[in-house]
């Protein structure tokens, strides 16, 4: 969940800086606006994160996935430090991100260890 949350917060913060969306509407801000009789700001948003349990996935696979997610979060931090504007995010997302780059779609067709850098145990958890 930590990596997913970091991704969404990064992407939405860049969109907000670019003026594409409004500011995040925290629960405190929402309650204050309601108390003041105001409606939500145009373009404001609220993100919620809901995790699920690991029931039904074997322990080795979960441990491997947690290791992989921790490494992926470190990799994301490098990307975040290099991709600092909304236009740069758009370019990176569609030209370099393995899932969304058209040039890299062939890598997604074969979920194998050498493709993702995942060991077989972690692959079982995705």
């Amino acid at each position: 969940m930590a990596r997913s949350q970091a991704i969404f917060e990064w992407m939405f913060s860049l969109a907000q800086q670019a003026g594409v969306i409004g500011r995040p509407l925290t629960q405190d801000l929402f309650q204050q606006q309601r108390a003041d009789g105001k409606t939500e700001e145009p373009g404001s948003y609220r993100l919620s994160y809901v995790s699920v349990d690991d029931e039904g996935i074997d322990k080795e696979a979960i441990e491997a996935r947690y290791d992989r997610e921790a490494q992926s979060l470190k990799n994301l931090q490098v990307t975040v430090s290099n991709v600092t504007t909304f236009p740069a995010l758009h370019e990176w997302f569609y030209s370099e991100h393995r899932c969304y780059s058209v040039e890299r779609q062939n890598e997604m067709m074969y979920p194998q260890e050498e493709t993702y850098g995942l060991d077989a145990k972690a692959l079982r958890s995705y």
Side-chain angles (χ1 to χ4, degrees):
M1 177 58 78
R3 183 173 65 100
S4 296
Q5 186 170 347
I7 290 168
F8 278 89
E9 289 177 1
W10 165 56
M11 295 177 101
F12 273 72
S13 71
L14 293 180
Q16 196 250 337
Q17 289 171 10
V20 176
I21 58 175
R23 64 184 174 153
L25 190 57
T26 63
Q27 188 63 28
D28 291 341
L29 179 59
F30 177 72
Q31 289 175 345
Q32 182 62 48
Q33 287 179 350
R34 298 292 296 270
D36 294 342
K38 297 179 182 177
T39 58
E40 293 183 17
E41 296 176 14
S44 62
Y45 63 92
R46 283 181 266 175
L47 295 176
S48 299
Y49 303 95
V50 180
S51 61
V52 297
D53 62 36
D54 300 327
E55 186 178 329
I57 304 174
D58 68 79
K59 186 177 178 178
E60 280 186 333
I62 290 300
E63 288 173 358
R65 182 175 188 155
Y66 287 163
D67 291 345
R68 173 61 183 180
E69 287 293 316
Q71 182 58 51
S72 292
L73 182 56
K74 289 178 186 177
N75 295 344
L76 175 66
Q77 291 165 344
V78 172
T79 302
V80 167
S81 68
N82 292 321
V83 179
T84 59
T85 66
F86 194 64
L89 171 65
H90 186 271
E91 182 176 341
W92 170 83
F93 193 74
Y94 291 110
S95 65
E96 296 182 41
H97 191 286
R98 185 180 294 130
C99 292
Y100 301 99
S101 168
V102 173
E103 292 180 3
R104 298 185 75 184
Q105 288 299 298
N106 63 318
E107 296 176 41
M108 296 303 296
M109 294 175 65
Y110 307 103
Q112 299 171 16
E113 193 171 330
E114 63 274 6
T115 302
Y116 290 102
L118 294 171
D119 64 29
K121 293 173 190 169
L123 272 173
R124 289 194 318 259
S125 73
Y126 283 91

